[in-house]
Amino acid sequence: MCGITGYVGGKEALPILIEGLKNLEYRGYDSSGVCVVPAAGGTLEIRKEQGKIRCLEELMLKDPMPKAHIGIAHTRWATHGAPCRKNSHPHSNLDQTIAVVHNGIIENYQTLKAALIRKGYKFLSETDTEVIVHLISEYFEGDIVQAVQRAIQDLEGAFAIGVVSSDDPATLVAARVGSPLIVGIGKGENFIASDVPAIIRHTRKVIYLKDKEIAVLRRDGVEVMTFAGKKVKYKIDHVTFQMEAAQKQGYPHFMLKEIHEQPDVLAKMLKLRLKAGRVTLEGLGLSDAALKNISRIKVVACGTAYHAGLVGRYIIEELAGVPVDVDVSSEFRYRTLLVDKKTLVVAVSQSGETADTLAAIREARAKGAKVVSICNVIGSSLARESDGVLYTHAGPEIGVASTKAYTAQLFMFYIFALKLAEVHGGLAPKACLQLIKDLVEIPALYRKILKGLGKITSMAKDFSHFGCFLYLGRNINYPSALEGALKLKEISYIPAEGYAAGEMKHGPIALIDEYRAVVCIAPQSDVYEKMISNIQEILSRKGKVIAIATEGDQVISSHATHVITIPRTHKLLTPLLAALPLQFLAYAIAVNRGCDVDQPRNLAKSVTVE
Ligand code: AGP
């Protein structure tokens, strides 16, 4: 996924564009670039550089940009073409009179590129994006809006684009299908951006462009139309997002800040979702009768959100007795979908912009299924395309590795399952009340865990040099093992595999020797003894064990080389508690290894391309 910003107004464009990019860097940071239409006229001025945005700033110190009041900028997560200067955006036509920034994938770019080359166009990059600017150039007959309108008709795939032209220095054109793009409405100035943090310092008035819409921005106003050119009456939303929430506030990394925010996030969710001991699912979009009519639930998600869905399955089946399937979105969307009006699809996504999850729900809805999304970004594409949305209100999650969003998603599954239990008559009311009582204690238990993280910091030193990790869990903590492994691998680059502990003897045990670290999630539960057996099997083969155990467990320390304890809680709530030490262990090891914790290599915060 990439970050796009654009500006047209009375101020100097460059600082606004660069500041906006920096607030979008979590979306992709392979390379970046900026294009302005010089106030003094002449062709476009473009600067672009491989690496983080600071590399672009260093370049512009040596090769300054001219004064300008309109421009576009981009920070890239490479899809087509290596992360290097020539593949960076903006891309321009050869006489540098038109430039484009793009987020998405043009599926038919090879065909378009071949046709344009036959017409004599020269391509300088390996990107799909470059076909867009040459197409616009091909159709340009003096009106940049018309040229964009015609060019996008030829494009297949997902795109959010910003376009400027030196022939029309007062106009910034934007268009989207499948990738997010917002328009910021200012006083005598207007903006485009991939996401709110880029423009929030300048305006809280935004238009969430819909698919197949074009926006034409000038200093004194904005017009929106369909791709066919039909004017659209747009709605201006007021954004409540708080910028300081997207700052580190003294923490060394966003990830550490977001780990520490989890008690407050859950306390806030308890306030929002529990009224007088009863769950409320404002935003669900389904009546109790409609919920009662649901005979099967299918959860679709990617990555960490998928792991939350796996925990959700245990919770819903245990509390409400409704069968649940869980699929990664990229598989769900290509399967023969057995969904009908009695199927509820629950899409889980922090960003609400994950391409595969969006595609999955579109398929499901086309087959008649109802879709409810558990989402963290207000107004995201997923939220707007679902029948109902349960916002997690976890605040902006900037660290690429998902932490507070994950535990907020888990929490939402508990609340949703309690509601289903009420409607479907699952778990006895008394048992539900006990679970709610234990749920209310979680923020305090989180604070207790966070106070004891120092022990994990020193433990991480013993394990930072290991070349491979195995994470084992059973039952409701099998997904915790998957999530713990994902956290470690994505920020420390150490190969780590999550496994159902019962599967150890079916293969993975071959990995065990004195060079292997095994994290065993073994809180007090019905499968505790089984976990102890797994730990013994590992130790007998000289494996090194880090056990996540329940406070007061006297047995485990005679088995595991290192023990991290979590407070005692309801057996169904242990994934909520186990998540924190697993997150912090990954964080501490990655920091020890000098990794870029917030912006790990090759990753982006949300994968808005397939
Ligand atoms: C999690 O740490 C990763 N950053 C990644 O797996 C993420 O969970 C996945 O890409 C899904 O993102 P979403 O929740 O925004 O859909």
Side-chain angles (χ1 to χ4, degrees), residues 302-305 348-354 357 400-403 409 483 486-487 490 603-607:
C302 300
T304 288
V348 189
S349 174
Q350 187 285 131
S351 64
E353 300 299 344
T354 299
T357 304
V400 165
S402 190
T403 50
Q409 289 158 0
E483 175 57 12
L486 174 61
K487 283 289 98 47
E490 70 175 322
L603 288 176
K605 183 58 187 169
S606 162
V607 183

Side-chain angles (χ1 to χ4, degrees), residues 110-122:
Q110 284 106 331
T111 316
L112 295 171
K113 185 168 181 175
L116 287 161
I117 288 171
R118 282 195 296 277
K119 287 182 179 165
Y121 286 88
K122 298 261 175 303

Side-chain angles (χ1 to χ4, degrees), residues 570-589:
H570 192 291
K571 65 175 183 173
L572 286 179
L573 299 179
T574 50
L576 265 178
L577 296 189
L580 268 64
L582 292 171
Q583 292 164 358
F584 188 75
L585 178 65
Y587 170 81
I589 290 174

Side-chain angles (χ1 to χ4, degrees), residues 350-598:
Q350 187 285 131
S351 64
E353 300 299 344
T354 299
D356 284 319
T357 304
L358 283 169
I361 62 138
R362 288 166 188 157
E363 296 286 327
R365 297 194 76 197
K367 294 270 171 93
K370 282 265 182 270
V371 174
V372 167
S373 57
I374 295 176
C375 190
N376 192 42
V377 176
I378 293 169
S380 59
S381 303
L382 179 68
R384 283 186 280 113
E385 294 188 32
S386 301
D387 297 293
V389 55
L390 297 173
Y391 282 120
T392 47
H393 296 297
E397 186 177 70
I398 308 297
V400 165
S402 190
T403 50
K404 63 177 182 176
Y406 173 65
T407 47
Q409 289 158 0
L410 294 185
F411 180 87
M412 195 58 83
F413 271 111
Y414 290 108
I415 295 294
F416 181 57
L418 283 163
K419 178 69 184 171
L420 277 174
E422 190 187 299
V423 169
H424 279 260
L427 195 65
K430 192 162 168 297
C432 282
L433 277 177
Q434 182 55 52
L435 181 67
I436 289 173
K437 204 166 139 297
D438 294 334
L439 208 45
V440 168
E441 293 308 310
I442 294 294
L445 300 184
Y446 269 0
R447 291 189 180 91
K448 193 173 176 190
I449 291 172
L450 292 173
K451 282 207 182 82
L453 293 182
K455 183 181 172 194
I456 301 176
T457 306
S458 42
M459 188 186 294
K461 289 191 178 57
D462 299 342
F463 285 88
S464 297
H465 61 284
F466 276 84
C468 159
F469 276 71
L470 201 53
Y471 283 71
L472 301 178
R474 286 177 181 261
N475 193 269
I476 198 166
N477 280 301
Y478 160 44
S480 301
L482 299 177
E483 175 57 12
L486 174 61
K487 283 289 98 47
L488 183 72
K489 74 180 89 168
E490 70 175 322
I491 62 174
S492 72
Y493 317 142
I494 300 174
E497 194 165 7
Y499 240 91
E503 279 293 291
M504 263 279 281
K505 291 187 279 294
H506 301 280
I509 198 161
L511 289 172
I512 305 303
D513 58 23
E514 62 271 39
Y515 307 108
R516 293 287 170 260
V518 186
V519 178
C520 295
I521 301 146
Q524 290 300 335
S525 73
D526 310 342
V527 291
Y528 174 76
E529 296 306 333
K530 302 275 184 243
M531 286 305 297
I532 293 294
S533 312
N534 284 124
I535 291 173
Q536 285 164 333
E537 289 155 9
I538 294 159
L539 293 175
S540 59
R541 289 163 179 82
K542 302 196 182 68
K544 299 289 180 289
V545 173
I546 298 176
I548 311 272
T550 303
E551 247 166 36
D553 182 331
Q554 302 304 323
V555 172
I556 202 107
S557 40
S558 56
H559 296 289
T561 31
H562 294 73
V563 178
I564 301 169
T565 57
I566 55 176
R568 185 175 295 281
T569 185
H570 192 291
K571 65 175 183 173
L572 286 179
L573 299 179
T574 50
L576 265 178
L577 296 189
L580 268 64
L582 292 171
Q583 292 164 358
F584 188 75
L585 178 65
Y587 170 81
I589 290 174
V591 168
N592 284 344
R593 292 168 67 97
C595 297
D596 186 340
V597 171
D598 283 335

